[in-house]
Amino acid sequence: MTTYFAPTQDMQFVINELTNISEIATLPAFAEEEIGTDLVEAVLEEAAKLATEVLAPINKTGDIQGITLNAEGVIPADGFADAYQNFIEGGWNGIGCPAEFGGQGLPELINTATQEMWNAANMSFALCPMLTAAAIEAIRRAGSDAQKAQFLPQLVSGEWTGTMNLTESQAGSDLSAVRCRAVPEDDYYRLFGQKIFITWGDHNMAENIIHLVLARTPDAPEGVKGISLFIVPKFLVNPDGSSGDRNDVHAVSVEHKLGIHASPTCVMAFGDKEGAIGYLVGEENKGLAYMFIMMNEARFKVGIQGLAIGERAYQAAREYAKDRVQGRPIGTKSGERVNIMHHPDVRRMLMMMKSQNEAMRALAYVTAAHMDMANHHPDPATRKAHQARLDVLIPVVKGWSTELGIEVASLGIQIHGGMGFVEETGACQHLRDARIATIYEGTTGIQAADLAGRKLHMDNGATMRALIADIETTAKALSRASHDDLTAISQGLADGVQALTEATDYMLGTDDMNAVMAVSVDYMMLTGYVCGGWHMARAAQAAHDHLANGQDSGFHKAKLVTACFYIEHVLPKANALLSSVKKGGTSIMRLTEEQF
Ligand SMILES: Cc1cc2nc3c(=O)[nH]c(=O)nc-3n(C[C@H](O)[C@H](O)[C@H](O)COP(=O)(O)OP(=O)(O)OC[C@H]3O[C@@H](n4cnc5c(N)ncnc54)[C@H](O)[C@@H]3O)c2cc1C
């Protein structure tokens, strides 16, 4: 049975040393919160208690028991409803939401650290508030004032939860194929159709469920230009705000899955009888743009899941490696048998896990800080610059971190040896849970296509080039350091910069979009490794400064060594990927369908 310890010291290190938290604290939106190291520490410590004492203990039991569907609807696993009450009573559901709707209005940066904890402690549970947060964001940005007043306070408090209803059997990655119908009637619409794979599409933990649904009105044009977004509550909302009649939307079945067993994945039937009443969000036919608000929010948070599961798997593997006695130290034939942490190859695996987790965390938290600046900085030009950086980074955080999450969870099994392959230790669950994160909210291929096909070209590569220039500045600054580790890090980072520059030149310089798409995942992963290396280098510099100032802590020494490991053993993957990118995927496209 694995336990979870929230790595609050690591989280605070990233927040305090690698992000512009002090600048974020001065933004007008956060002026009243008096955000400083004390507040960050207090929030993280409280969140850690909930994650470790309430959510983590029901992770494995939820995995074993799963959910059930009966005539009343979905029944969550034991302990989930109580944990959810605990979660919302603590105000955690709305910590990143605006105060005007009852939230605590804290920066996304702090919220991101709590997201990491919820997902590491219990990813199935965390999906429910994650989708509520995405629904809140879509209604807040695209809904009418009346819709905001009607739905946001209860969604923010968590009394109601939210869902995202995009997928239909013929419309997965390609949402242009959505067929669900919305027929106008009075001041609402009636929806008919079926959605599949809807996360937390039904449950009894909250009073109401607010579904955000993509559908087509009768005269809508074909394709993505004819999709509209609707709010479809499970229970209609009375004028006084209380829950009224049951709407014609039901979970008709639930999927049996590889992982996240305690998160219901529902087939939702809309309009089996008179039609489900739905309210149009914004204008007709602009639904996909609104849904993208929700998807971007969710994509970033799914990226956090890669990190979170990686951290959980690492902790389990580390504890097992300390405990498991096997063999003797290299070069000795007799004497005490030792724990497996003595073996260099086990250490290699642990370092792979630890260093990639730290790189993922740094990139994710820095990205969250861009979110705060993009959303709240008073100067429009500054907001625009942060938004541009964010647009490029979100597919990387989602695609790269979730791929790494699987790799790290798999290493966790390897460290457990045979015990990793049996369910008892819990290592299997981490890999099973991690596996979905590269699929939902847009597969890795879709994230890579977004980066290489859209984001990179939006400004002719200017945002990516500015990012590369920033990384190069760090590499150059480190090259002047008089410390062997930092000099070595600077050299490795300079090589990474070169790889990303050449890969970007290739991606921008070729007109063959088949070639661009064939190597897009390689390009996205390369970008992730180099961005991760950048922040590991910055972490090394910060740790070195603390050590130089006489803070001789094992924590800072470990940060420096972990950065060295990443630069020596992980970042060189960027060069291998560059070589693949430059081949332009020629062999990928050569076989005919019959030859596969
Ligand atoms: C557990 C779970 C929970 C989910 N939760 C939700 C939810 O809450 N709400 C919701 O609406 N949906 C949800 N989904 C659906 C999920 O978002 C889709 O499964 C996902 O978007 C992929 O769509 P698909 O399954 O139809 O795969 P497909 O689109 O059929 O893709 C199959 C393969 O083809 C590739 N591919 C497809 N098109 C392209 C392309 N243009 N370029 C390159 N590669 C391509 C994909 O990368 C993938 O490898 C969930 C799914 C699961 C399994």
Side-chain angles (χ1 to χ4, degrees), residues 164-167 172-173 197-199 257 260 265 436 439-443 446:
M164 186 160 91
N165 289 247
L166 286 69
T167 308
S173 301
F197 291 152
I198 305 309
T199 298
K257 315 188 290 288
I260 53 167
T265 304
I436 183 58
I439 297 172
Y440 56 20
E441 296 307 335
T443 60
I446 296 299

Side-chain angles (χ1 to χ4, degrees), residues 13-82:
F13 176 81
V14 173
I15 292 172
N16 296 330
E17 307 289 348
L18 305 185
T19 75
N20 56 340
I21 179 86
S22 48
E23 188 182 5
I24 291 170
T26 64
L27 296 175
F30 307 120
E32 281 177 20
E33 305 296 338
E34 296 188 17
I35 291 159
T37 46
D38 289 351
L39 180 113
V40 172
E41 189 179 340
V43 172
L44 297 195
E45 290 307 331
E46 278 308 305
K49 272 190 213 154
L50 185 80
T52 54
E53 293 169 16
V54 178
L55 304 184
I58 53 170
N59 188 42
K60 187 165 185 184
T61 51
D63 178 58
I64 294 167
Q65 185 189 6
I67 49 95
T68 42
L69 176 67
N70 67 20
E72 305 297 312
V74 170
I75 310 297
D78 291 347
F80 273 59
D82 287 344

